[in-house]
Amino acid sequence: ALNDDAEGWTTVTGNQGSIFLKEGVAFKVIKETILTESFDIEAPKDEARKVNMVSKKLKPGDILDLREWGRTHEETGLTRLKCKVRSDGTVGYVTSVGNTGIKFVEMI
């Protein structure tokens, strides 16, 4: 589940055709950005190299499956969400809306 990271099984369709679960929410990258291991992307200079080593560049057209809805980072003003990159399964945080309003991803 998105709110508690619980994993398990669910019934998608009942035996009489009732739909219980639809495909998850997905986003498409529309402007190059990065996926980071942590929600917080601010780092002191001595840790900046570590942030670069644990980030992945996302390009326009990459598809992301939502894991946690976006929330705004109080210090930076960035709206970030947790997602899984569909092409390789990498999970991390991506900036969906920058602090000046620029969109990096959009819901599809």
Side-chain angles (χ1 to χ4, degrees):
L2 290 176
N3 61 351
D4 62 5
D5 291 328
E7 294 185 19
W9 296 94
T10 186
T11 301
V12 177
T13 307
N15 61 1
Q16 295 185 8
S18 299
I19 297 174
F20 299 126
L21 188 65
K22 292 185 179 181
E23 192 171 325
V25 177
F27 287 82
K28 179 171 76 170
V29 176
I30 57 173
K31 184 170 178 64
E32 192 171 285
T33 188
I34 60 169
L35 183 80
T36 61
E37 189 176 76
S38 171
F39 175 77
D40 188 6
I41 61 172
E42 290 292 305
K45 288 183 180 180
D46 60 331
E47 293 182 24
R49 178 183 280 170
K50 182 180 177 186
V51 170
N52 287 334
M53 291 172 55
V54 294
S55 64
K56 172 185 175 63
K57 188 179 285 190
L58 298 174
K59 297 181 179 176
D62 286 343
I63 304 298
L64 312 171
D65 293 316
L66 182 69
R67 292 290 182 249
E68 290 178 16
W69 286 105
R71 52 193 165 110
T72 302
H73 190 277
E74 291 181 23
E75 293 175 19
T76 63
L78 301 174
T79 301
R80 297 181 44 81
L81 51 89
K82 188 173 185 180
C83 58
K84 178 179 178 180
V85 181
R86 199 174 277 181
S87 63
D88 66 8
T90 306
V91 176
Y93 291 86
V94 65
T95 299
S96 57
V97 180
N99 55 9
T100 60
I102 295 173
K103 287 186 177 183
F104 292 93
V105 298
E106 67 182 3
M107 193 181 303
I108 54 174

